[in-house]
Amino acid sequence: MSEDRTSGGSTGHAAEAPELPVYAERVLDVADLIPPGRVMTYGDVAEWLGEGGPRQVGRVMALYGAAAPWWRVVRSDGTLLPGHELRALDHYREEGTPLREASRGADGHLPRLDMRRARWDGGAVGPDDGGRPGGGEKAHR
């Protein structure tokens, strides 16, 4: 799967694609698990993996996340990724991700993610999952 996820500098030849670090592959695999309309924070992903931290996850997403659903791995405060706000917002609206409308005084009037409703704990996806962390042991453990 790693050849699907390499980006930048590629000439189109799979043999020339750089090998994806194991940790990066693991982070991207978690991103792929997040259902449409839901999000996990950088810290949630690190906790899921039991390795690294929010900064390491963010670095992986910045370097290798272009082919993954990058908009589903987010900051814990629900702000949209700087420089990618409009692209992310398009994905959120298309997927029905819960948003909180920005106040009129907010810079750029961009909404934030409604983290209470959008955050996914890694459990089953369905009408009864609630999508909130802390609802019991995570499915991966």
Side-chain angles (χ1 to χ4, degrees):
M1 189 185 300
S2 61
E3 64 238 3
D4 299 338
R5 294 193 166 139
T6 56
S7 64
S10 177
T11 59
H13 302 289
E16 294 178 22
E19 187 66 29
L20 195 64
V22 173
Y23 183 72
E25 184 70 30
R26 292 181 67 213
V27 167
L28 297 175
D29 285 346
V30 173
D32 286 340
L33 292 174
I34 303 168
R38 306 306 287 280
V39 298
M40 287 180 92
T41 69
Y42 298 112
D44 291 341
V45 172
E47 181 182 338
W48 173 281
L49 294 172
E51 181 181 358
R55 289 178 188 246
Q56 289 82 9
V57 171
R59 181 78 174 146
V60 167
M61 294 306 294
L63 292 175
Y64 307 107
W70 55 267
W71 60 93
R72 296 182 192 150
V73 182
V74 301
R75 298 168 73 166
S76 62
D77 66 359
T79 58
L80 306 186
L81 184 64
H84 302 279
E85 299 94 342
L86 297 180
R87 285 180 48 219
L89 193 54
D90 286 344
H91 287 291
Y92 298 140
R93 287 183 172 146
E94 180 180 318
E95 294 181 356
T97 308
L99 299 170
R100 295 178 63 195
E101 289 304 317
S103 66
R104 293 179 191 235
D107 203 25
H109 300 336
L110 288 172
R112 286 183 181 221
L113 291 160
D114 184 338
M115 294 302 291
R116 281 190 32 202
R117 293 176 38 223
R119 199 169 190 177
W120 185 60
D121 70 357
V125 179
D128 298 326
D129 76 338
R132 289 186 278 286
E137 195 168 33
K138 291 188 177 178
H140 70 284
R141 291 185 183 165

